[in-house]
């Protein structure tokens, strides 16, 4: 699945990954890949700008640390990010239920008239 297919959902996915705890950037990418069973193999050029955007919005904070002699930026969810994730989940449930009424086999939208 490519980044374009995720348009509008990437921020929610990143917030959900960080909900489990602080991670450095590459670990975020690995978590997306693992939790999607390899379907989300996003490039750093997609993930890092999104993390910076979430940081500017106040949903994520970052800090530099040294791990095994290497500098890494670690990202962590803020309270604002947790609230945003809750809102994103609610919106996702509503969206998927609505679209499911059309795309799931055996469901027929009702018409009035």
């Amino acid at each position: 699945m490519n980044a374009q297919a995720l348009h509008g959902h990437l921020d929610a996915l990143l917030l959900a990954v960080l909900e489990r705890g602080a991670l450095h950037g590459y670990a975020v990418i690995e978590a997306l890949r693992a939790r999607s069973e390899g379907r989300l193999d996003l490039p750093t050029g997609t993930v890092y700008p999104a993390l910076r955007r979430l940081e500017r919005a106040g949903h994520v904070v970052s800090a530099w640390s040294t791990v095994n002699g290497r500098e890494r930026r670690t990202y962590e969810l803020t309270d604002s990010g947790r609230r945003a994730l809750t809102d994103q989940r609610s919106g996702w449930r509503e969206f998927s239920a609505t679209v499911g009424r059309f795309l799931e086999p055996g469901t027929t939208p009702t018409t009035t008239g």
Side-chain angles (χ1 to χ4, degrees):
M1 184 175 295
N2 65 30
Q4 189 62 26
L6 296 175
H7 184 71
H9 303 290
L10 179 59
D11 289 0
L13 294 173
L14 293 172
L15 294 174
V17 164
L18 292 171
E19 179 181 39
R20 294 183 176 182
L23 294 171
H24 60 82
Y26 186 72
V28 169
I29 293 169
E30 287 296 309
L32 286 168
R33 187 177 300 127
R35 286 177 66 178
S36 70
E37 298 177 346
R39 288 179 179 87
L40 297 178
D41 189 13
L42 301 177
T44 58
T46 296
V47 174
Y48 285 107
L51 287 168
R52 286 191 295 274
R53 182 176 60 250
L54 289 169
E55 189 171 21
R56 284 191 305 273
H59 299 324
V60 169
V61 293
S62 70
W64 286 101
S65 61
T66 304
V67 178
N68 296 328
R70 295 178 57 187
E71 289 286 317
R72 292 185 175 173
R73 181 170 253 170
T74 301
Y75 299 88
E76 187 173 5
L77 206 56
T78 63
D79 288 341
S80 171
R82 290 183 200 293
R83 288 189 298 275
L85 179 56
T86 297
D87 292 345
Q88 292 275 349
R89 283 186 170 134
S90 176
W92 172 253
R93 282 190 288 275
E94 182 179 339
F95 174 79
S96 61
T98 300
V99 172
R101 289 184 190 109
F102 294 90
L103 300 181
E104 291 295 325
T107 59
T108 306
T110 58
T111 59
T112 59

